[in-house]
Amino acid sequence: MSLSTSSSSRTALYAILIAAVTLVPAMGLVNWLTRSAESSAGDIFGIQRIRSVTQSLDYMATTEGNTALFIGSSLVKDGFSPRLFDQAVKEASGADVTSFNVGMGNMKPTYQKLLVQRMADTYARHQATAQLTLLEFNPFLVTEARQAFRPFMTEQIQAVLMSPQQVTNTLWEDPERFARLLSIKYLRHGVSAEAITGGIRFLVTQAQAQAPMLQELTQDQLDHIQQLATFRSRLNQYIRQEHPVTYKSHVWNPVTQGGLIDMMDLSDEARELVVTISQQMRHPKAMEMDLQGRIQCCDIENLTFNDKLIKEFLDTVETAKGFSQQVEIVLMPRNRDWVQLSEQGQQQLQQILAHLAKRSGVPIRNYQDHEAFAGNDFYDVTHLSMDQGRPRFSKVLAGDLAAAFQ
């Protein structure tokens, strides 16, 4: 071996050693920071719920008896109570059923497809089937605007949703992407560097965009915001005291069958606070700001759909058929007091629902304009409220589906 070759080898070894000494502590610091942030501030990176769902798939697949899965976005997570649904089915038909809330934030079809593929693999491994699988079709999550919204989150969510085999398969297709997915999933606690930097940029941009509107707030409106924060803090204290195991509602928990804490779980004092908070959150200024955000991120009024997302949703329906005796598509109620579809939006929605019915061959239950729901059933522009909307929807849905379990 020549002197120059030996020197080059030593240089390479030194470089590897320095990289290891530098990167390993850095990775440890990132993991510690993200875990600490999630522990104290909740699901700020948007993956705790997703991670906990994927870790609970075996539990769902091995639950005995009639089971029902409701898979969708945060509208499902916030708006569907499995325990109230099961109780209402029992009262309506006498049938026993165990339903699961598999709703997660930002669950556009790209992510829904990955999740349902993992569910199919899990149910096949246990040689199990679900009696009923409901797939939410959320119109404003399949738009061109939503497809372009927060692209820095895409790879992070995909990494957490993908099975080890799915991650490994990317090695042959795109080695660089494989390395990133591997790092996110196993070395960075499910948080990508792009999500951190992109998230900061997004928050700064949002703050700049909302600054003019915030400057227009009156003192009464500012006092209202402060009062709402106080009410929320008090409610969190009640929930922590009364439900030390399930107080982190965003984490999927078998005790609540994946649903959130319900009114029936709370003390009288906590229930009063929930009602007050729902009323406070419906302040016209807050609703106006929320609507503008939905228009910007999701094209919620005009609904210009993205063909790729529509195809991915149809693929998801086909996958769900493989482990379900019955599959149906569900559209959650729309807050018609605030979300008024344009003529274009109405036409687009009618056309796409006809397309989904024809291509999927499964029933579609459309609660968008259901007469049972009014503005006070929502806590914001899109999500059903804990005190009124969620229990009402869960019981209406149970009444419509009770015959399926007889």
PDB file of all heavy atoms in Angstrom, residues 85-120:
ATOM      1  N   PHE A  85     -72.194   5.316  19.176  1.00  0.00           N
ATOM      2  CA  PHE A  85     -72.669   4.596  17.999  1.00  0.00           C
ATOM      3  C   PHE A  85     -73.064   3.165  18.374  1.00  0.00           C
ATOM      4  O   PHE A  85     -74.151   2.700  18.006  1.00  0.00           O
ATOM      5  CB  PHE A  85     -71.573   4.584  16.938  1.00  0.00           C
ATOM      6  CG  PHE A  85     -71.895   3.780  15.707  1.00  0.00           C
ATOM      7  CD1 PHE A  85     -72.608   4.332  14.656  1.00  0.00           C
ATOM      8  CD2 PHE A  85     -71.476   2.453  15.598  1.00  0.00           C
ATOM      9  CE1 PHE A  85     -72.894   3.592  13.513  1.00  0.00           C
ATOM     10  CE2 PHE A  85     -71.761   1.707  14.462  1.00  0.00           C
ATOM     11  CZ  PHE A  85     -72.466   2.281  13.425  1.00  0.00           C
ATOM     12  N   ASP A  86     -72.198   2.469  19.089  1.00  0.00           N
ATOM     13  CA  ASP A  86     -72.473   1.072  19.468  1.00  0.00           C
ATOM     14  C   ASP A  86     -73.731   0.976  20.320  1.00  0.00           C
ATOM     15  O   ASP A  86     -74.553   0.065  20.151  1.00  0.00           O
ATOM     16  CB  ASP A  86     -71.281   0.498  20.238  1.00  0.00           C
ATOM     17  CG  ASP A  86     -70.013   0.454  19.402  1.00  0.00           C
ATOM     18  OD1 ASP A  86     -70.084   0.722  18.188  1.00  0.00           O
ATOM     19  OD2 ASP A  86     -68.948   0.152  19.975  1.00  0.00           O
ATOM     20  N   GLN A  87     -73.864   1.915  21.255  1.00  0.00           N
ATOM     21  CA  GLN A  87     -75.033   1.924  22.125  1.00  0.00           C
ATOM     22  C   GLN A  87     -76.315   2.161  21.331  1.00  0.00           C
ATOM     23  O   GLN A  87     -77.334   1.494  21.555  1.00  0.00           O
ATOM     24  CB  GLN A  87     -74.862   3.020  23.186  1.00  0.00           C
ATOM     25  CG  GLN A  87     -76.028   3.151  24.153  1.00  0.00           C
ATOM     26  CD  GLN A  87     -75.823   4.302  25.141  1.00  0.00           C
ATOM     27  OE1 GLN A  87     -74.697   4.731  25.395  1.00  0.00           O
ATOM     28  NE2 GLN A  87     -76.908   4.824  25.661  1.00  0.00           N
ATOM     29  N   ALA A  88     -76.248   3.094  20.380  1.00  0.00           N
ATOM     30  CA  ALA A  88     -77.432   3.404  19.574  1.00  0.00           C
ATOM     31  C   ALA A  88     -77.798   2.249  18.645  1.00  0.00           C
ATOM     32  O   ALA A  88     -78.981   1.983  18.406  1.00  0.00           O
ATOM     33  CB  ALA A  88     -77.183   4.685  18.764  1.00  0.00           C
ATOM     34  N   VAL A  89     -76.803   1.533  18.096  1.00  0.00           N
ATOM     35  CA  VAL A  89     -77.075   0.355  17.270  1.00  0.00           C
ATOM     36  C   VAL A  89     -77.766  -0.718  18.107  1.00  0.00           C
ATOM     37  O   VAL A  89     -78.729  -1.359  17.657  1.00  0.00           O
ATOM     38  CB  VAL A  89     -75.766  -0.194  16.652  1.00  0.00           C
ATOM     39  CG1 VAL A  89     -76.000  -1.578  16.039  1.00  0.00           C
ATOM     40  CG2 VAL A  89     -75.238   0.753  15.592  1.00  0.00           C
ATOM     41  N   LYS A  90     -77.280  -0.911  19.318  1.00  0.00           N
ATOM     42  CA  LYS A  90     -77.872  -1.898  20.231  1.00  0.00           C
ATOM     43  C   LYS A  90     -79.334  -1.562  20.515  1.00  0.00           C
ATOM     44  O   LYS A  90     -80.214  -2.441  20.498  1.00  0.00           O
ATOM     45  CB  LYS A  90     -77.062  -1.924  21.531  1.00  0.00           C
ATOM     46  CG  LYS A  90     -77.588  -2.875  22.595  1.00  0.00           C
ATOM     47  CD  LYS A  90     -77.282  -4.310  22.267  1.00  0.00           C
ATOM     48  CE  LYS A  90     -77.618  -5.220  23.433  1.00  0.00           C
ATOM     49  NZ  LYS A  90     -77.361  -6.645  23.118  1.00  0.00           N
ATOM     50  N   GLU A  91     -79.603  -0.289  20.772  1.00  0.00           N
ATOM     51  CA  GLU A  91     -80.978   0.128  21.070  1.00  0.00           C
ATOM     52  C   GLU A  91     -81.883  -0.011  19.850  1.00  0.00           C
ATOM     53  O   GLU A  91     -83.065  -0.336  19.976  1.00  0.00           O
ATOM     54  CB  GLU A  91     -80.969   1.584  21.551  1.00  0.00           C
ATOM     55  CG  GLU A  91     -80.302   1.764  22.916  1.00  0.00           C
ATOM     56  CD  GLU A  91     -80.126   3.227  23.293  1.00  0.00           C
ATOM     57  OE1 GLU A  91     -80.431   4.097  22.429  1.00  0.00           O
ATOM     58  OE2 GLU A  91     -79.688   3.510  24.417  1.00  0.00           O
ATOM     59  N   ALA A  92     -81.319   0.225  18.657  1.00  0.00           N
ATOM     60  CA  ALA A  92     -82.135   0.202  17.437  1.00  0.00           C
ATOM     61  C   ALA A  92     -82.394  -1.195  16.914  1.00  0.00           C
ATOM     62  O   ALA A  92     -83.469  -1.482  16.372  1.00  0.00           O
ATOM     63  CB  ALA A  92     -81.462   1.048  16.355  1.00  0.00           C
ATOM     64  N   SER A  93     -81.408  -2.089  17.047  1.00  0.00           N
ATOM     65  CA  SER A  93     -81.535  -3.402  16.412  1.00  0.00           C
ATOM     66  C   SER A  93     -81.283  -4.571  17.347  1.00  0.00           C
ATOM     67  O   SER A  93     -81.514  -5.729  16.973  1.00  0.00           O
ATOM     68  CB  SER A  93     -80.557  -3.498  15.240  1.00  0.00           C
ATOM     69  OG  SER A  93     -79.218  -3.500  15.720  1.00  0.00           O
ATOM     70  N   GLY A  94     -80.777  -4.307  18.537  1.00  0.00           N
ATOM     71  CA  GLY A  94     -80.433  -5.379  19.455  1.00  0.00           C
ATOM     72  C   GLY A  94     -79.092  -6.026  19.152  1.00  0.00           C
ATOM     73  O   GLY A  94     -78.673  -6.959  19.848  1.00  0.00           O
ATOM     74  N   ALA A  95     -78.400  -5.539  18.131  1.00  0.00           N
ATOM     75  CA  ALA A  95     -77.131  -6.145  17.734  1.00  0.00           C
ATOM     76  C   ALA A  95     -75.974  -5.572  18.532  1.00  0.00           C
ATOM     77  O   ALA A  95     -75.949  -4.387  18.882  1.00  0.00           O
ATOM     78  CB  ALA A  95     -76.892  -5.911  16.243  1.00  0.00           C
ATOM     79  N   ASP A  96     -75.010  -6.428  18.823  1.00  0.00           N
ATOM     80  CA  ASP A  96     -73.781  -5.992  19.481  1.00  0.00           C
ATOM     81  C   ASP A  96     -72.721  -5.694  18.423  1.00  0.00           C
ATOM     82  O   ASP A  96     -72.479  -6.511  17.527  1.00  0.00           O
ATOM     83  CB  ASP A  96     -73.260  -7.083  20.425  1.00  0.00           C
ATOM     84  CG  ASP A  96     -74.160  -7.271  21.634  1.00  0.00           C
ATOM     85  OD1 ASP A  96     -74.583  -6.262  22.216  1.00  0.00           O
ATOM     86  OD2 ASP A  96     -74.456  -8.438  21.978  1.00  0.00           O
ATOM     87  N   VAL A  97     -72.110  -4.543  18.509  1.00  0.00           N
ATOM     88  CA  VAL A  97     -71.070  -4.157  17.566  1.00  0.00           C
ATOM     89  C   VAL A  97     -69.993  -3.379  18.311  1.00  0.00           C
ATOM     90  O   VAL A  97     -70.282  -2.679  19.280  1.00  0.00           O
ATOM     91  CB  VAL A  97     -71.647  -3.298  16.412  1.00  0.00           C
ATOM     92  CG1 VAL A  97     -72.291  -2.029  16.944  1.00  0.00           C
ATOM     93  CG2 VAL A  97     -70.574  -2.952  15.395  1.00  0.00           C
ATOM     94  N   THR A  98     -68.756  -3.547  17.887  1.00  0.00           N
ATOM     95  CA  THR A  98     -67.643  -2.753  18.409  1.00  0.00           C
ATOM     96  C   THR A  98     -67.089  -1.936  17.250  1.00  0.00           C
ATOM     97  O   THR A  98     -66.533  -2.489  16.306  1.00  0.00           O
ATOM     98  CB  THR A  98     -66.532  -3.644  18.988  1.00  0.00           C
ATOM     99  OG1 THR A  98     -67.072  -4.478  20.017  1.00  0.00           O
ATOM    100  CG2 THR A  98     -65.406  -2.785  19.565  1.00  0.00           C
ATOM    101  N   SER A  99     -67.275  -0.635  17.327  1.00  0.00           N
ATOM    102  CA  SER A  99     -66.794   0.241  16.259  1.00  0.00           C
ATOM    103  C   SER A  99     -65.518   0.948  16.703  1.00  0.00           C
ATOM    104  O   SER A  99     -65.250   1.095  17.899  1.00  0.00           O
ATOM    105  CB  SER A  99     -67.860   1.272  15.873  1.00  0.00           C
ATOM    106  OG  SER A  99     -68.182   2.099  16.984  1.00  0.00           O
ATOM    107  N   PHE A 100     -64.733   1.394  15.726  1.00  0.00           N
ATOM    108  CA  PHE A 100     -63.473   2.081  16.001  1.00  0.00           C
ATOM    109  C   PHE A 100     -63.402   3.373  15.199  1.00  0.00           C
ATOM    110  O   PHE A 100     -63.746   3.406  14.018  1.00  0.00           O
ATOM    111  CB  PHE A 100     -62.284   1.188  15.626  1.00  0.00           C
ATOM    112  CG  PHE A 100     -62.191  -0.074  16.428  1.00  0.00           C
ATOM    113  CD1 PHE A 100     -62.312  -1.312  15.809  1.00  0.00           C
ATOM    114  CD2 PHE A 100     -62.000  -0.037  17.798  1.00  0.00           C
ATOM    115  CE1 PHE A 100     -62.231  -2.490  16.536  1.00  0.00           C
ATOM    116  CE2 PHE A 100     -61.926  -1.212  18.547  1.00  0.00           C
ATOM    117  CZ  PHE A 100     -62.037  -2.437  17.923  1.00  0.00           C
ATOM    118  N   ASN A 101     -62.953   4.413  15.867  1.00  0.00           N
ATOM    119  CA  ASN A 101     -62.719   5.696  15.220  1.00  0.00           C
ATOM    120  C   ASN A 101     -61.279   5.720  14.716  1.00  0.00           C
ATOM    121  O   ASN A 101     -60.331   5.719  15.504  1.00  0.00           O
ATOM    122  CB  ASN A 101     -62.965   6.839  16.217  1.00  0.00           C
ATOM    123  CG  ASN A 101     -62.833   8.218  15.585  1.00  0.00           C
ATOM    124  OD1 ASN A 101     -62.028   8.439  14.687  1.00  0.00           O
ATOM    125  ND2 ASN A 101     -63.608   9.163  16.085  1.00  0.00           N
ATOM    126  N   VAL A 102     -61.110   5.729  13.394  1.00  0.00           N
ATOM    127  CA  VAL A 102     -59.784   5.767  12.788  1.00  0.00           C
ATOM    128  C   VAL A 102     -59.657   7.077  12.010  1.00  0.00           C
ATOM    129  O   VAL A 102     -59.229   7.099  10.857  1.00  0.00           O
ATOM    130  CB  VAL A 102     -59.538   4.542  11.882  1.00  0.00           C
ATOM    131  CG1 VAL A 102     -58.041   4.359  11.617  1.00  0.00           C
ATOM    132  CG2 VAL A 102     -60.091   3.260  12.511  1.00  0.00           C
ATOM    133  N   GLY A 103     -60.058   8.151  12.661  1.00  0.00           N
ATOM    134  CA  GLY A 103     -59.947   9.468  12.068  1.00  0.00           C
ATOM    135  C   GLY A 103     -58.651  10.138  12.476  1.00  0.00           C
ATOM    136  O   GLY A 103     -58.219  10.032  13.622  1.00  0.00           O
ATOM    137  N   MET A 104     -58.016  10.841  11.529  1.00  0.00           N
ATOM    138  CA  MET A 104     -56.750  11.520  11.787  1.00  0.00           C
ATOM    139  C   MET A 104     -56.685  12.823  11.005  1.00  0.00           C
ATOM    140  O   MET A 104     -57.233  12.918   9.912  1.00  0.00           O
ATOM    141  CB  MET A 104     -55.566  10.625  11.387  1.00  0.00           C
ATOM    142  CG  MET A 104     -55.429   9.382  12.230  1.00  0.00           C
ATOM    143  SD  MET A 104     -54.098   8.299  11.664  1.00  0.00           S
ATOM    144  CE  MET A 104     -54.909   7.503  10.293  1.00  0.00           C
ATOM    145  N   GLY A 105     -56.009  13.799  11.556  1.00  0.00           N
ATOM    146  CA  GLY A 105     -55.880  15.082  10.891  1.00  0.00           C
ATOM    147  C   GLY A 105     -55.108  14.971   9.582  1.00  0.00           C
ATOM    148  O   GLY A 105     -54.218  14.129   9.435  1.00  0.00           O
ATOM    149  N   ASN A 106     -55.463  15.833   8.625  1.00  0.00           N
ATOM    150  CA  ASN A 106     -54.765  15.922   7.330  1.00  0.00           C
ATOM    151  C   ASN A 106     -54.837  14.642   6.506  1.00  0.00           C
ATOM    152  O   ASN A 106     -53.948  14.380   5.687  1.00  0.00           O
ATOM    153  CB  ASN A 106     -53.289  16.292   7.535  1.00  0.00           C
ATOM    154  CG  ASN A 106     -53.109  17.572   8.310  1.00  0.00           C
ATOM    155  OD1 ASN A 106     -53.714  18.586   7.984  1.00  0.00           O
ATOM    156  ND2 ASN A 106     -52.297  17.539   9.357  1.00  0.00           N
ATOM    157  N   MET A 107     -55.865  13.826   6.718  1.00  0.00           N
ATOM    158  CA  MET A 107     -55.910  12.517   6.079  1.00  0.00           C
ATOM    159  C   MET A 107     -56.464  12.599   4.658  1.00  0.00           C
ATOM    160  O   MET A 107     -57.558  12.129   4.347  1.00  0.00           O
ATOM    161  CB  MET A 107     -56.747  11.558   6.936  1.00  0.00           C
ATOM    162  CG  MET A 107     -56.615  10.085   6.606  1.00  0.00           C
ATOM    163  SD  MET A 107     -54.953   9.392   6.465  1.00  0.00           S
ATOM    164  CE  MET A 107     -54.107   9.987   7.914  1.00  0.00           C
ATOM    165  N   LYS A 108     -55.673  13.214   3.759  1.00  0.00           N
ATOM    166  CA  LYS A 108     -56.073  13.232   2.362  1.00  0.00           C
ATOM    167  C   LYS A 108     -55.863  11.829   1.784  1.00  0.00           C
ATOM    168  O   LYS A 108     -55.177  10.989   2.396  1.00  0.00           O
ATOM    169  CB  LYS A 108     -55.275  14.282   1.585  1.00  0.00           C
ATOM    170  CG  LYS A 108     -53.784  14.053   1.495  1.00  0.00           C
ATOM    171  CD  LYS A 108     -53.118  15.191   0.720  1.00  0.00           C
ATOM    172  CE  LYS A 108     -51.623  14.959   0.556  1.00  0.00           C
ATOM    173  NZ  LYS A 108     -50.972  16.049  -0.207  1.00  0.00           N
ATOM    174  N   PRO A 109     -56.448  11.515   0.618  1.00  0.00           N
ATOM    175  CA  PRO A 109     -56.407  10.146   0.090  1.00  0.00           C
ATOM    176  C   PRO A 109     -55.010   9.545  -0.047  1.00  0.00           C
ATOM    177  O   PRO A 109     -54.847   8.333   0.068  1.00  0.00           O
ATOM    178  CB  PRO A 109     -57.096  10.283  -1.270  1.00  0.00           C
ATOM    179  CG  PRO A 109     -58.067  11.387  -1.076  1.00  0.00           C
ATOM    180  CD  PRO A 109     -57.354  12.376  -0.184  1.00  0.00           C
ATOM    181  N   THR A 110     -53.993  10.366  -0.292  1.00  0.00           N
ATOM    182  CA  THR A 110     -52.628   9.851  -0.391  1.00  0.00           C
ATOM    183  C   THR A 110     -52.247   9.095   0.873  1.00  0.00           C
ATOM    184  O   THR A 110     -51.639   8.021   0.819  1.00  0.00           O
ATOM    185  CB  THR A 110     -51.639  11.009  -0.614  1.00  0.00           C
ATOM    186  OG1 THR A 110     -52.051  11.764  -1.752  1.00  0.00           O
ATOM    187  CG2 THR A 110     -50.227  10.492  -0.821  1.00  0.00           C
ATOM    188  N   TYR A 111     -52.616   9.647   2.016  1.00  0.00           N
ATOM    189  CA  TYR A 111     -52.296   9.030   3.305  1.00  0.00           C
ATOM    190  C   TYR A 111     -53.312   7.944   3.656  1.00  0.00           C
ATOM    191  O   TYR A 111     -52.961   6.891   4.196  1.00  0.00           O
ATOM    192  CB  TYR A 111     -52.273  10.090   4.410  1.00  0.00           C
ATOM    193  CG  TYR A 111     -51.435  11.301   4.094  1.00  0.00           C
ATOM    194  CD1 TYR A 111     -51.842  12.576   4.463  1.00  0.00           C
ATOM    195  CD2 TYR A 111     -50.221  11.178   3.411  1.00  0.00           C
ATOM    196  CE1 TYR A 111     -51.072  13.694   4.179  1.00  0.00           C
ATOM    197  CE2 TYR A 111     -49.444  12.291   3.116  1.00  0.00           C
ATOM    198  CZ  TYR A 111     -49.882  13.549   3.507  1.00  0.00           C
ATOM    199  OH  TYR A 111     -49.118  14.647   3.218  1.00  0.00           O
ATOM    200  N   GLN A 112     -54.573   8.205   3.335  1.00  0.00           N
ATOM    201  CA  GLN A 112     -55.630   7.221   3.598  1.00  0.00           C
ATOM    202  C   GLN A 112     -55.330   5.906   2.882  1.00  0.00           C
ATOM    203  O   GLN A 112     -55.541   4.822   3.439  1.00  0.00           O
ATOM    204  CB  GLN A 112     -56.967   7.802   3.133  1.00  0.00           C
ATOM    205  CG  GLN A 112     -58.202   7.163   3.747  1.00  0.00           C
ATOM    206  CD  GLN A 112     -59.454   7.895   3.318  1.00  0.00           C
ATOM    207  OE1 GLN A 112     -59.506   8.523   2.260  1.00  0.00           O
ATOM    208  NE2 GLN A 112     -60.485   7.834   4.140  1.00  0.00           N
ATOM    209  N   LYS A 113     -54.806   6.010   1.670  1.00  0.00           N
ATOM    210  CA  LYS A 113     -54.476   4.820   0.887  1.00  0.00           C
ATOM    211  C   LYS A 113     -53.387   3.998   1.576  1.00  0.00           C
ATOM    212  O   LYS A 113     -53.496   2.759   1.681  1.00  0.00           O
ATOM    213  CB  LYS A 113     -54.021   5.243  -0.511  1.00  0.00           C
ATOM    214  CG  LYS A 113     -53.636   4.092  -1.432  1.00  0.00           C
ATOM    215  CD  LYS A 113     -53.241   4.613  -2.814  1.00  0.00           C
ATOM    216  CE  LYS A 113     -52.790   3.474  -3.720  1.00  0.00           C
ATOM    217  NZ  LYS A 113     -52.440   3.964  -5.081  1.00  0.00           N
ATOM    218  N   LEU A 114     -52.343   4.652   2.063  1.00  0.00           N
ATOM    219  CA  LEU A 114     -51.273   3.947   2.775  1.00  0.00           C
ATOM    220  C   LEU A 114     -51.791   3.271   4.034  1.00  0.00           C
ATOM    221  O   LEU A 114     -51.447   2.123   4.335  1.00  0.00           O
ATOM    222  CB  LEU A 114     -50.160   4.932   3.148  1.00  0.00           C
ATOM    223  CG  LEU A 114     -49.126   5.274   2.084  1.00  0.00           C
ATOM    224  CD1 LEU A 114     -48.206   6.373   2.594  1.00  0.00           C
ATOM    225  CD2 LEU A 114     -48.318   4.043   1.691  1.00  0.00           C
ATOM    226  N   LEU A 115     -52.610   3.996   4.800  1.00  0.00           N
ATOM    227  CA  LEU A 115     -53.152   3.439   6.032  1.00  0.00           C
ATOM    228  C   LEU A 115     -53.994   2.199   5.760  1.00  0.00           C
ATOM    229  O   LEU A 115     -53.843   1.164   6.429  1.00  0.00           O
ATOM    230  CB  LEU A 115     -53.996   4.491   6.754  1.00  0.00           C
ATOM    231  CG  LEU A 115     -54.778   3.993   7.972  1.00  0.00           C
ATOM    232  CD1 LEU A 115     -53.827   3.522   9.067  1.00  0.00           C
ATOM    233  CD2 LEU A 115     -55.714   5.077   8.499  1.00  0.00           C
ATOM    234  N   VAL A 116     -54.872   2.277   4.766  1.00  0.00           N
ATOM    235  CA  VAL A 116     -55.768   1.152   4.482  1.00  0.00           C
ATOM    236  C   VAL A 116     -54.984  -0.033   3.928  1.00  0.00           C
ATOM    237  O   VAL A 116     -55.340  -1.197   4.176  1.00  0.00           O
ATOM    238  CB  VAL A 116     -56.905   1.598   3.537  1.00  0.00           C
ATOM    239  CG1 VAL A 116     -57.742   0.419   3.085  1.00  0.00           C
ATOM    240  CG2 VAL A 116     -57.799   2.619   4.250  1.00  0.00           C
ATOM    241  N   GLN A 117     -53.901   0.223   3.212  1.00  0.00           N
ATOM    242  CA  GLN A 117     -53.034  -0.881   2.781  1.00  0.00           C
ATOM    243  C   GLN A 117     -52.432  -1.605   3.981  1.00  0.00           C
ATOM    244  O   GLN A 117     -52.372  -2.844   4.012  1.00  0.00           O
ATOM    245  CB  GLN A 117     -51.921  -0.337   1.877  1.00  0.00           C
ATOM    246  CG  GLN A 117     -52.371   0.037   0.482  1.00  0.00           C
ATOM    247  CD  GLN A 117     -51.281   0.728  -0.318  1.00  0.00           C
ATOM    248  OE1 GLN A 117     -50.295   1.225   0.231  1.00  0.00           O
ATOM    249  NE2 GLN A 117     -51.448   0.772  -1.633  1.00  0.00           N
ATOM    250  N   ARG A 118     -52.008  -0.850   4.979  1.00  0.00           N
ATOM    251  CA  ARG A 118     -51.477  -1.469   6.198  1.00  0.00           C
ATOM    252  C   ARG A 118     -52.560  -2.233   6.948  1.00  0.00           C
ATOM    253  O   ARG A 118     -52.314  -3.304   7.509  1.00  0.00           O
ATOM    254  CB  ARG A 118     -50.853  -0.416   7.118  1.00  0.00           C
ATOM    255  CG  ARG A 118     -49.534   0.120   6.616  1.00  0.00           C
ATOM    256  CD  ARG A 118     -48.730   0.752   7.718  1.00  0.00           C
ATOM    257  NE  ARG A 118     -48.295  -0.213   8.720  1.00  0.00           N
ATOM    258  CZ  ARG A 118     -47.496   0.084   9.738  1.00  0.00           C
ATOM    259  NH1 ARG A 118     -47.052   1.320   9.893  1.00  0.00           N
ATOM    260  NH2 ARG A 118     -47.138  -0.827  10.613  1.00  0.00           N
ATOM    261  N   MET A 119     -53.766  -1.685   6.955  1.00  0.00           N
ATOM    262  CA  MET A 119     -54.873  -2.381   7.612  1.00  0.00           C
ATOM    263  C   MET A 119     -55.171  -3.685   6.890  1.00  0.00           C
ATOM    264  O   MET A 119     -55.425  -4.718   7.536  1.00  0.00           O
ATOM    265  CB  MET A 119     -56.112  -1.481   7.649  1.00  0.00           C
ATOM    266  CG  MET A 119     -55.917  -0.195   8.433  1.00  0.00           C
ATOM    267  SD  MET A 119     -57.391   0.839   8.513  1.00  0.00           S
ATOM    268  CE  MET A 119     -58.255   0.083   9.884  1.00  0.00           C
ATOM    269  N   ALA A 120     -55.133  -3.655   5.571  1.00  0.00           N
ATOM    270  CA  ALA A 120     -55.385  -4.871   4.795  1.00  0.00           C
ATOM    271  C   ALA A 120     -54.344  -5.941   5.125  1.00  0.00           C
ATOM    272  O   ALA A 120     -54.680  -7.124   5.304  1.00  0.00           O
ATOM    273  CB  ALA A 120     -55.366  -4.558   3.300  1.00  0.00           C
TER     274      ALA A 120
END
